[in-house]
Amino acid sequence: MSFAAGDSRLASRGGAPDNRATFFRWPAMFGRLFKFFVLCGVLLMLARWLLNRHQRQSLHELFSTLALALLLSAGLFSLLYLLGWHRL
């Protein structure tokens, strides 16, 4: 694969990979995480403001059950991967 003489954007020196594209994606990732946590905070404040105690307790049970199911699923798939089941 050849490039024009003046185009050195993808040229690497001494076989080293060009990490500039990966480096410049980090700020965008932090921005997305920040937006996600702000959204979660706003939803939490709305739930506390709009729902009564019984409804909040029901939501807590629902999300606790979902979190436990996700943890168990992650553990199961990690165990299967370690046992050699790479293609599920």
Side-chain angles (χ1 to χ4, degrees):
M1 182 155 117
S2 66
F3 295 98
D7 189 13
S8 63
R9 288 180 295 158
L10 297 176
S12 61
R13 295 182 190 103
D18 188 9
N19 294 358
R20 287 178 290 180
T22 306
F23 176 76
F24 289 126
R25 275 190 273 168
W26 278 99
M29 186 186 311
F30 285 128
R32 289 177 187 154
L33 284 173
F34 178 73
K35 288 178 190 176
F36 174 72
F37 285 119
V38 168
L39 177 66
C40 288
V42 168
L43 290 176
L44 182 65
M45 287 180 7
L46 279 173
R48 293 190 74 154
W49 183 50
L50 294 174
L51 302 176
N52 64 27
R53 185 176 180 173
H54 180 67
Q55 290 170 327
R56 286 195 307 253
Q57 187 176 8
S58 297
L59 276 178
H60 182 269
E61 290 176 12
L62 172 70
F63 287 126
S64 297
T65 304
L66 285 174
L68 181 61
L70 286 172
L71 285 173
L72 289 174
S73 174
L76 177 66
F77 277 96
S78 297
L79 180 67
L80 288 173
Y81 182 81
L82 289 174
L83 291 175
W85 289 60
H86 297 276
R87 296 181 185 181
L88 291 178

